[in-house]
């Protein structure tokens, strides 16, 4: 969900495997690494670029400086408390499995190493997501992926996704999270990069819809967790099940969400 992730992932999220084509963004204020320079401001949002390790800075720099498309989306609200939001953000396979099994979206994700995940959005886009930097309010990701369009064109590219998160209280006094995403994508094929540049508004709107769908998927998951905790637990225990730590966290989160929302939990297991 980034979320999906991104989700969101991370989703929102991740949600999220990225994106071929995004509309223009403006950045300034360079922050210096040892050998490569990265901007600290992206579309008016400040990120801790000076904290990025030099080897990563040099991998991200050509994408940011020579992007095919770029965009900013958000802030978008996710109806989850910070602890649950961050847990899902940092456990993409778990978040994707819940969203998939509950029939919300056909996301898939697998762990491929420390801070490295494979993901598939079920709509022709898949790739590898690597965590470059994290703190309580920021995540920075590097992505390599591909997209098979309905026109039978196989597109590959790389992307940098910067995520800013803010804890808020909604109108009902319930904790939630606001997320802002700034993304840069660079296609591997120069000819395709030139063609895409002619259709940035159209492609950008398509990607925006994909990202918004990821956030909506997380919000739908949140509502099911609040209203049908037994159903969520039943799906979570299906083979392959969650790890013992993930199962324990989910059970605790479901109890807290049902109490904080004031909703009467439903016992139904229907889709």
């Amino acid at each position: 969900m980034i979320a999906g992730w991104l989700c969101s992932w991370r989703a929102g999220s991740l949600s999220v495997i990225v994106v071929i084509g995004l509309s223009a963004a403006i950045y300034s204020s360079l922050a210096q690494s040892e050998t490569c320079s990265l901007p600290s401001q992206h579309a008016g949002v400040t990120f801790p670029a000076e904290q990025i390790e030099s080897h990563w800075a040099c991998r991200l720099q050509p994408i940011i400086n020579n992007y095919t498309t770029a965009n900013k989306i958000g802030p978008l609200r996710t109806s989850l408390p910070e602890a649950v939001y961050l847990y899902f953000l940092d456990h993409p396979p778990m978040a994707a499995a819940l969203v998939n099994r509950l029939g919300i979206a056909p996301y898939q994700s697998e762990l491929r190493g420390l801070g490295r995940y494979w993901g598939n959005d079920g709509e022709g886009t898949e790739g590898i997501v690597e965590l470059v930097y994290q703190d309580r309010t920021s995540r920075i990701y590097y992505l390599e992926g591909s997209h098979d369009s309905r026109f039978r064109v196989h597109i590959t590219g790389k992307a940098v996704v910067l995520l800013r998160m803010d804890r808020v209280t909604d109108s009902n006094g319930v904790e939630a999270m606001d997320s802002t995403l700034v993304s840069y994508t660079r296609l591997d094929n120069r000819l395709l990069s030139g063609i895409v540049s002619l259709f940035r508004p159209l492609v950008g709107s398509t990607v925006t819809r994909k990202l918004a769908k990821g956030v909506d998927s997380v919000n739908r998951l949140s509502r099911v967790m609040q209203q049908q905790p037994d159903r969520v637990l039943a799906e979570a225990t299906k083979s392959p099940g969650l790890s013992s730590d993930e199962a324990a966290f989910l059970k605790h989160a479901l109890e807290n969400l049902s109490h904080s929302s004031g909703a009467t939990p439903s016992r139904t297991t229907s889709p």
Side-chain angles (χ1 to χ4, degrees), residues 173-219:
V174 178
E175 184 179 331
M177 296 293 290
D178 280 352
S179 302
T180 301
L181 285 157
V182 180
S183 305
Y184 300 88
T185 300
R186 183 178 180 182
L187 301 188
D188 293 332
N189 185 299
R190 291 186 179 182
L191 176 60
L192 286 176
S193 294
I195 294 173
V196 169
S197 68
L198 299 175
F199 299 97
R200 280 178 181 169
L202 176 61
V203 176
S205 64
T206 300
V207 173
T208 297
R209 287 197 300 270
K210 277 182 172 284
L211 295 174
K213 179 182 177 181
V215 175
D216 179 65
S217 296
V218 176
N219 278 319

Side-chain angles (χ1 to χ4, degrees), residues 129-179:
V129 181
E130 295 189 66
L131 177 64
V132 174
Y133 173 83
Q134 69 174 30
D135 60 31
R136 195 182 68 82
T137 61
S138 301
R139 296 288 190 278
I140 299 174
Y141 300 97
Y142 169 79
L143 303 96
E144 294 186 5
S146 65
H147 178 76
D148 291 305
S149 74
R150 61 180 179 176
F151 302 109
R152 298 184 180 180
V153 177
H154 183 72
I155 303 171
T156 62
K158 301 175 180 63
V160 179
V161 177
L162 304 99
L163 169 64
R164 166 56 52 83
M165 305 163 287
D166 295 296
R167 183 175 61 183
V168 297
T169 301
D170 67 18
S171 58
N172 297 317
V174 178
E175 184 179 331
M177 296 293 290
D178 280 352
S179 302

Side-chain angles (χ1 to χ4, degrees), residues 1-17 88-89 92 141 161 163 181:
M1 43 215 66
I2 174 236
W5 231 120
L6 222 236
C7 270
S8 75
W9 242 16
R10 161 168 188 353
S13 251
L14 303 149
S15 304
V16 105
I17 299 296
F88 281 161
L89 186 66
Y141 300 97
V161 177
L163 169 64
L181 285 157

